[in-house]
Amino acid sequence: MIEAQRQSGYDNAKKDLVVVKDMVKHFPIRGGLLQRVQAYVKAVDGVSFTIKQGETLGLVGESGCGKTTVGRTLLRLTPPTSGQVLFEGRDIFTLQGKALKDIRKDMQIVFQDPYSSLDPRMPVGESIMEGLVVHGIGSPEERWEKVIHLLRMVNLEDFHAKRYPHEFSGGQRQRIGIARALALEPKFIVADEPVSALDVSVQAQVLNILMDLQDQLALTYLFVAHNLSVVEHISTRVAVMYLGKMVELADRHEIFAHPLHPYTRALMSAIPIADPRKAGSRARIILEGDVPSPINPPQGCHFHPRCSYAIKGLCDQEEPVLKDYGSGHLVACWLVDRDAA
């Protein structure tokens, strides 16, 4: 079912599982004798999107654009500055105490670095079991049976439960991270660049496990990555971020075939071509200049200092809003807006 949806694209009949409204996360910069706040790093600056039940939303962009912060803030691992995140209609930014603890069972994360996210002094079976203990689920025997079942689901052996993180390869550790995220039977998982540190062959194994689990368990993913080939393979829709802002969002077939934002086009042009004979068939777009500082982002469109299509007096003065230009293809760009008019 999920694979059929992935092939056919975005399914409007599915209900919204996660709704993000104007999410903002600013990190204070302190200095001086009294450590007063002197400025803010605007890591996420007003991001809005929805994730349908059972789909995978790929979130891409350059390093430092705010992708990981979106995922961590969405789960309240990082406290938000403002905005809303509705999970099944409940605003998780307003939940406290037991209500927040209960909803965490439905929202889990797979971290980018599996080694640093596992306790090196704890056997991996106990790490997987930890969430069950915290939430008081099952007896010790039932928890251990659950651990063995989860290890088998990610293609590991029963005896691995008694081994320590340093005894595993990177790909095995990431599969342990996936098993731990599944322990509480969540509905939604943030996968924060789960394959970026792995070899290509191991990447394929982990991606296939994630897709199979999504099919079996009706999971919903926010898949954060910078490898566009991986995102194209696993995602239902793709969202593109630049300097804390969402600049484009569309069905994965649509966005890879017809990218509209100049930044998205530049990202697509950087995807390596496997066949050297076709290497010259696609023009490489080289972006001029450096990424502006998130402490003091440019006025107007954040991308305009590096955009060769920037309209003087408009792009450098007014910030474009994310608009639908047909079939759920959302773009924040004055150039696209002018062409559509």
Side-chain angles (χ1 to χ4, degrees):
M1 180 185 69
I2 300 298
E3 181 59 27
Q5 177 185 326
R6 193 179 285 116
Q7 292 296 331
S8 61
Y10 187 48
D11 186 355
N12 288 306
K14 293 282 186 179
K15 73 173 184 178
D16 293 336
L17 183 69
V18 179
V19 179
V20 179
K21 298 181 179 179
D22 296 321
M23 185 166 70
V24 174
K25 177 56 187 177
H26 294 171
F27 293 95
I29 299 174
R30 300 180 182 274
L33 183 63
L34 300 178
Q35 290 294 296
R36 291 193 175 99
V37 175
Q38 297 181 337
Y40 289 92
V41 176
K42 299 175 181 178
V44 179
D45 200 16
V47 168
S48 300
F49 58 90
T50 62
I51 306 176
K52 295 283 187 181
Q53 186 175 20
E55 79 163 337
T56 300
L57 178 66
L59 187 59
V60 303
E62 291 174 291
S63 297
C65 71
K67 306 185 299 298
T68 293
T69 305
V70 165
R72 294 180 68 90
T73 306
L74 189 153
L75 298 177
R76 276 190 67 176
L77 296 179
T78 300
T81 301
S82 64
Q84 279 186 309
V85 171
L86 305 179
F87 180 78
E88 294 186 322
R90 302 175 67 190
D91 186 357
I92 69 167
F93 286 176
T94 63
L95 298 180
Q96 300 294 333
K98 186 178 184 300
L100 178 60
K101 181 180 178 181
D102 288 343
I103 207 168
R104 288 196 187 281
K105 291 187 290 186
D106 293 327
M107 307 174 73
Q108 292 291 307
I109 186 170
V110 177
F111 293 98
Q112 178 177 0
D113 184 357
Y115 189 68
S116 65
S117 65
L118 294 170
D119 189 336
R121 300 166 298 178
M122 185 182 292
V124 298
E126 293 184 23
S127 292
I128 295 171
M129 193 190 302
E130 198 169 17
L132 299 173
V133 175
V134 168
H135 288 273
I137 298 173
S139 65
E141 294 77 14
E142 290 171 336
R143 292 168 188 163
W144 190 253
E145 289 178 5
K146 178 85 170 183
V147 167
I148 299 302
H149 175 66
L150 289 167
L151 287 172
R152 292 173 181 173
M153 287 181 70
V154 296
N155 299 333
L156 292 173
E157 302 294 337
D158 298 4
F159 63 84
H160 286 145
K162 296 185 180 294
R163 291 188 174 180
Y164 290 84
H166 72 271
E167 299 180 81
F168 295 92
S169 67
Q172 288 175 321
R173 283 196 289 263
Q174 194 57 281
R175 282 185 270 166
I176 292 165
I178 294 170
R180 184 176 59 176
L182 294 174
L184 296 173
E185 300 180 5
K187 300 175 183 177
F188 174 65
I189 292 178
V190 174
D192 182 15
E193 303 202 31
V195 297
S196 63
L198 306 179
D199 294 336
V200 174
S201 59
V202 181
Q203 285 184 15
Q205 295 173 17
V206 173
L207 289 174
N208 288 333
I209 287 172
L210 288 171
M211 293 168 70
D212 289 342
L213 290 171
Q214 185 177 43
D215 199 359
Q216 296 170 27
L217 306 175
L219 295 170
T220 303
Y221 293 139
L222 174 64
F223 190 88
V224 178
H226 58 261
N227 187 328
L228 290 171
S229 298
V230 168
V231 170
E232 184 180 14
H233 177 67
I234 197 172
S235 300
T236 311
R237 291 185 302 151
V238 178
V240 182
M241 282 190 69
Y242 182 79
L243 206 62
K245 296 281 188 181
M246 195 80 72
V247 297
E248 189 162 1
L249 192 156
D251 170 84
R252 61 139 179 182
H253 296 296
E254 173 66 20
I255 201 168
F256 277 91
H258 305 290
L260 296 180
H261 197 282
Y263 177 63
T264 308
R265 293 176 186 171
L267 290 181
M268 298 299 180
S269 76
I271 299 175
I273 298 176
D275 189 346
R277 294 170 297 181
K278 299 179 181 179
S281 62
R282 183 173 61 198
R284 176 75 168 90
I285 301 174
I286 306 296
L287 296 178
E288 301 293 335
D290 297 324
V291 179
S293 171
I295 299 173
N296 185 27
Q299 184 179 353
C301 174
H302 287 184
F303 185 61
H304 87 263
R306 305 174 72 194
C307 180
S308 57
Y309 303 100
I311 305 169
K312 191 173 182 180
L314 179 60
C315 296
D316 56 354
Q317 297 296 323
E318 298 183 38
E319 182 181 327
V321 296
L322 207 61
K323 292 176 61 176
D324 191 338
Y325 291 94
S327 303
H329 195 148
L330 308 180
V331 188
C333 180
W334 290 120
L335 178 68
V336 176
D337 191 64
R338 187 182 65 176
D339 291 344

